[in-house]
Amino acid sequence: MVKGEGAEQYSASNLLPKKTRSQDGIKIAKRRDESGRLSVCSKLCYAIGGAPYQITGSALGFFLQIYLLDVAQLDPFYASIILFVGRAWDAVTDPTVGFLVSRSRWTRCGRMMPWILISTPFAVLAYFLIWYVPQVEQWKVLWYLIFYCLFQSLQTCFHVPYSALTMFISTDQKERDSATAYRMTVEVLGTVVGTAIQGQIVGGAIAPCLPGDLDVLDNSNTTLLGSDVNISHISLDDTKRAYLIASAVICVMYVLCAAVLFLGVREQEECGRLKTEPMSFFEGMRMVMGYGPYVKLVMGFLFTSLAFMLLEGNFALFISYTMGFRNDFQNILLVIMLSGTLSIPFWQWFLTRFGKKTAVYIGIMWAVPFMILIVCIESSLIVAYVVSVAAGVSVAAAFLLPWSMLPDVVDDFKVKNPDSSGHEAIFYSFYVFFTKFASGISLGISTLSLDFAGYVTRSCSQPDAVNLTLKVLVSAAPVVLIFLGLLIFKTYPIDEERRQGNRKLLQEMRDSNQDSDTELGSVV
């Protein structure tokens, strides 16, 4: 083929009538538009698929620790083992599942969808059994360890393919960012739903605390909590039943959301198909861990995520015992999640207008003054709600930004390595691996710290050492971790100029590939 100004280009397509060539051009342009643009319905269906992970995650994050301690009545040491091992096991399964997903072949349903479809019923069953208290005392620890680990593994089989699906629903970066904003809005709404279902159902069936020697020293608490004990007719069995009802409702929602995702989203074959030989697990690990922008992004969010995980895992205990609002903690948690949901559109506009790195600094730093405020002033229900609203705004940024910035890193890698493909699931799975491993460490250490401080199961009040420990876990430690994470973000190299440049280069690469495919098809 000869190309040049004024020169005639000879190809098989030149032998076709002009009208036919024009029609072919229209079809090609239409196909390109369809491959990039997503309807609002498709974005909503995709976003709804992220809800199960957040609904179950918020229920487990906010309530599992207090459930194991006060309802299942496990020793804090054993509870810490369950929480740490479960999350650590979950973290280990993420890169494994990511590797297997990256080697999966295309099916009629896609490459990601079969994983989501098959894992759903088994994950639902395992989740329900987490909230069941076995009758045999000596089997409790093993029961929760098995089903918690099993659920985390099955949840991974759902969430890793779903996360990587971001790269396969559209080739257009703006459309992926828009779909991610939809997803984050629904996911934060999912945390609201999970917190509301678990909190309101369980909150109406809280068994009374048991007054001990410590309550004699606090006349105000003795009067309040003692009256609760006298007038309450709720037993521990009622509380157990409430947890089961809440888990059943969440299981139904899990299945419905998975069905909407499966029926409403089409995975693009041209994006999802492997074009090179699949890499080995260790090659994939070396690839992602050797890519500087990815490592800096993951490490930055690792510290900031750990900060919010510490806050999430201990906030219910902090509100119940340190602040003394045992009967209000589920409403305060709900306010955090509602505030986060309403803040997602603002942060999407903010990162579009001022850039993603600026949104990271402002969004995550926003919570710091309020974390300090809540432990520095006298307990006040009004202050607790104000802090909850402010924390929710920051939680929204922490939810949205990692998933909005990960596709930028994957695109940057594609520009630097144009011959590599099928690596998206590996990038996503290793990010989830680090955040979940951090979550396991935070839950294990915090529960173990409460054990060392002398936590008393179902007591109306806790020793001063426990209250001090809770203050550190929801304020001092998260603040330090946030500052460490933001320092790492200073070195993150993908700014708005580089991101837009990558977008143009990738579009040129796609156009070139489509033109090549069109010419080849014309010759054939």
Side-chain angles (χ1 to χ4, degrees):
M1 183 185 296
V2 180
K3 292 186 179 181
E5 188 175 349
E8 184 178 0
Q9 299 181 14
Y10 295 97
S11 69
S13 61
N14 290 114
L15 302 179
L16 299 173
K18 289 184 177 181
K19 183 177 180 180
T20 304
R21 293 201 303 270
S22 176
Q23 290 174 344
D24 288 343
I26 293 172
K27 291 179 180 178
I28 293 167
K30 185 177 180 181
R31 187 176 73 243
R32 288 178 183 171
D33 182 67
E34 288 176 349
S35 67
R37 301 289 296 178
L38 292 172
S39 67
V40 173
C41 181
S42 295
K43 292 176 184 178
L44 283 173
C45 291
Y46 167 72
I48 289 171
Y53 182 77
Q54 298 301 338
I55 291 173
T56 56
S58 63
L60 291 168
F62 282 122
F63 293 94
L64 184 59
Q65 185 183 49
I66 197 169
Y67 166 81
L68 293 176
L69 294 174
D70 288 356
V71 180
Q73 298 186 9
L74 295 180
D75 183 273
F77 175 75
Y78 292 117
S80 68
I81 290 176
I82 292 169
L83 293 171
F84 173 73
V85 172
R87 297 299 284 180
W89 170 257
D90 181 29
V92 171
T93 60
D94 278 290
T96 305
V97 171
F99 169 70
L100 294 174
V101 169
S102 69
R103 297 177 67 90
S104 299
R105 297 190 180 277
W106 181 267
T107 69
R108 292 176 60 187
C109 301
R111 194 150 61 92
M112 305 294 158
M113 287 297 185
W115 287 85
I116 294 169
L117 184 65
I118 295 172
S119 65
T120 294
F122 300 102
V124 164
L125 178 61
Y127 178 81
F128 181 78
L129 292 175
I130 289 174
W131 302 102
Y132 174 75
V133 181
Q135 301 301 316
V136 184
E137 190 71 24
Q138 57 266 32
W139 288 101
K140 280 184 180 180
V141 175
L142 188 60
W143 175 278
Y144 292 117
L145 192 59
I146 289 174
F147 286 107
Y148 188 42
C149 290
L150 182 60
F151 171 73
Q152 298 289 12
S153 298
L154 293 166
Q155 179 81 311
T156 297
C157 293
F158 182 104
H159 191 246
V160 168
Y162 173 76
S163 300
L165 190 62
T166 308
M167 304 301 298
F168 301 144
I169 57 175
S170 175
T171 57
D172 186 84
Q173 190 181 79
K174 283 187 175 180
E175 290 298 302
R176 292 202 306 262
D177 284 348
S178 176
T180 299
Y182 275 81
R183 172 190 165 188
M184 291 301 106
T185 302
V186 173
E187 286 198 3
V188 176
L189 183 61
T191 64
V192 174
V193 172
T195 305
I197 292 173
Q198 194 86 1
Q200 299 305 312
I201 294 177
V202 172
I206 298 177
C209 58
L210 303 177
D213 295 338
L214 288 169
D215 300 299
V216 178
L217 302 177
D218 189 343
N219 294 329
S220 60
N221 279 350
T222 302
T223 303
L224 284 172
L225 297 171
S227 62
D228 288 344
V229 173
N230 292 332
I231 66 174
S232 176
H233 300 289
I234 299 173
S235 67
L236 185 59
D237 288 336
D238 294 328
T239 306
K240 294 176 182 178
R241 192 176 302 111
Y243 272 101
L244 282 177
I245 293 172
S247 66
V249 174
I250 288 175
C251 286
V252 171
M253 298 195 67
Y254 192 117
V255 173
L256 291 176
C257 292
V260 170
L261 172 67
F262 181 75
L263 297 174
V265 176
R266 183 177 68 87
E267 185 178 342
Q268 294 188 12
E269 183 175 0
E270 60 270 22
C271 296
R273 182 175 297 176
L274 284 172
K275 299 180 180 179
T276 59
E277 286 297 319
M279 63 188 70
S280 69
F281 177 81
F282 292 105
E283 287 175 340
M285 185 171 66
R286 284 197 300 270
M287 176 190 71
V288 299
M289 298 312 299
Y291 195 61
Y294 177 77
V295 173
K296 291 171 183 176
L297 181 73
V298 169
M299 293 303 294
F301 278 120
L302 176 65
F303 283 101
T304 57
S305 297
L306 183 55
F308 286 101
M309 287 171 189
L310 280 174
L311 180 65
E312 177 189 59
N314 296 281
F315 201 62
L317 291 172
F318 176 77
I319 293 294
S320 298
Y321 294 113
T322 305
M323 298 195 73
F325 304 128
R326 180 180 174 86
N327 295 322
D328 296 285
F329 79 89
Q330 70 272 13
N331 297 323
I332 294 173
L333 297 181
L334 185 58
V335 168
I336 293 177
M337 296 300 102
L338 282 172
S339 173
T341 303
L342 297 175
S343 302
I344 285 286
F346 166 76
W347 288 119
Q348 177 62 22
W349 168 83
F350 190 93
L351 66 87
T352 303
R353 177 68 176 81
F354 300 102
K356 296 180 181 181
K357 287 187 72 172
T358 304
V360 168
Y361 296 131
I362 296 178
I364 294 178
M365 275 290 293
W366 174 261
V368 171
F370 298 97
M371 288 180 179
I372 298 172
L373 175 67
I374 199 168
V375 298
C376 290
I377 64 173
E378 188 177 350
S379 294
S380 167
L381 191 58
I382 295 176
V383 172
Y385 277 110
V386 170
V387 171
S388 299
V389 172
V393 174
S394 201
V395 166
F399 262 86
L400 174 65
L401 291 166
W403 300 111
S404 180
M405 296 172 76
L406 269 172
D408 299 339
V409 174
V410 176
D411 284 345
D412 193 72
F413 181 85
K414 285 181 178 179
V415 170
K416 301 294 189 298
N417 302 272
D419 296 328
S420 177
S421 64
H423 51 266
E424 293 85 359
I426 299 177
F427 273 101
Y428 278 83
S429 63
F430 270 96
Y431 169 72
V432 177
F433 163 77
F434 285 113
T435 54
K436 287 183 176 179
F437 192 77
S439 174
I441 292 175
S442 69
L443 287 171
I445 290 178
S446 60
T447 310
L448 200 58
S449 299
L450 293 175
D451 184 32
F452 290 148
Y455 181 87
V456 183
T457 301
R458 290 190 65 199
S459 176
C460 292
S461 61
Q462 298 292 337
D464 290 339
V466 171
N467 292 324
L468 177 61
T469 301
L470 287 170
K471 287 181 179 180
V472 172
L473 292 173
V474 302
S475 180
V479 168
V480 171
L481 290 168
I482 284 173
F483 278 111
L484 289 174
L486 294 180
L487 284 175
I488 295 174
F489 272 119
K490 291 285 290 183
T491 64
Y492 177 66
I494 302 178
D495 53 17
E496 285 303 298
E497 181 180 356
R498 180 165 167 177
R499 190 172 73 88
Q500 295 297 333
N502 288 341
R503 178 187 171 194
K504 293 179 181 178
L505 288 172
L506 287 172
Q507 187 59 50
E508 291 173 1
M509 291 166 58
R510 294 189 195 101
D511 291 343
S512 176
N513 289 335
Q514 287 180 341
D515 290 339
S516 299
D517 291 343
T518 303
E519 290 180 2
L520 181 61
S522 300
V523 171
V524 174

